[in-house]
Amino acid sequence: MGAITWRRQLSVGQPSIDDDHKHLIEYLNELDAALAAERFQPARVAKILVKLLEYTKEHFAREERIMQIVRYPKFEEHVAMHRSAVRMVSELSNRFAIEPTHENAAQLYKFTADWLVRHIILMDTQLTPYVRGVWA
């Protein structure tokens, strides 16, 4: 699959949001490493998924709070995307919980990694002019 590398295009320019995104990428890279391991360990994957899901919810809450502070005009649309992603990741996680296979874990990784990078580049970077200098 391949690890995700933090790069300039992923920066929103607001330290707490950028730090959150870096942590999310770290969790995804942990998941990638677990999937690439010689021996698949569902319990290891499950632990990473719990951390990833919890941190994602915390991050969305922080990001949404910042969007409210700066009166981001696309707030409702952005929140709807967050909710949709949480629903999809929850469904994929439930599928993995029921059937903890490498394939189900890989589907979860692929969706989450693709969604996160695309969302940061296409949506979160639109926050940049609104959030620069906001320390929340």
Side-chain angles (χ1 to χ4, degrees):
M1 290 179 209
I4 302 168
T5 304
W6 178 261
R7 51 194 185 275
R8 190 176 44 79
Q9 302 99 299
L10 297 174
S11 178
V12 174
Q14 202 290 323
S16 63
I17 292 174
D18 286 344
D19 287 347
D20 277 0
H21 289 163
K22 289 174 186 175
H23 286 300
L24 290 168
I25 288 170
E26 286 174 18
Y27 290 137
L28 284 169
N29 287 340
E30 280 184 47
L31 182 55
D32 179 61
L35 290 168
E38 205 168 296
R39 192 173 124 254
F40 180 66
Q41 298 174 314
R44 178 181 173 198
V45 170
K47 286 178 186 174
I48 296 166
L49 289 176
V50 168
K51 291 190 299 186
L52 176 63
L53 289 171
E54 286 304 310
Y55 200 85
T56 298
K57 290 175 187 173
E58 292 170 18
H59 162 64
F60 285 167
R62 265 190 296 278
E63 189 175 273
E64 290 166 9
R65 204 167 36 254
I66 291 169
M67 285 189 285
Q68 288 176 316
I69 290 167
V70 300
R71 292 180 167 69
Y72 183 59
K74 295 181 182 177
F75 175 77
E76 296 297 330
E77 174 187 349
H78 204 112
V79 169
M81 288 179 194
H82 286 172
R83 300 297 173 263
S84 175
V86 167
R87 273 192 304 278
M88 187 62 177
V89 170
S90 293
E91 286 175 26
L92 291 168
S93 294
N94 289 338
R95 189 178 306 159
F96 176 78
I98 293 166
E99 194 175 341
T101 64
H102 187 278
E103 181 182 337
N104 284 339
Q107 284 180 338
L108 183 53
Y109 171 83
K110 181 167 179 19
F111 171 80
T112 308
D114 289 349
W115 186 91
L116 180 66
V117 171
R118 191 173 50 251
H119 181 78
I120 292 171
I121 291 172
L122 298 177
M123 300 305 299
D124 286 349
T125 56
Q126 291 181 33
L127 295 168
T128 299
Y130 299 91
V131 299
R132 280 209 189 270
V134 174
W135 294 82

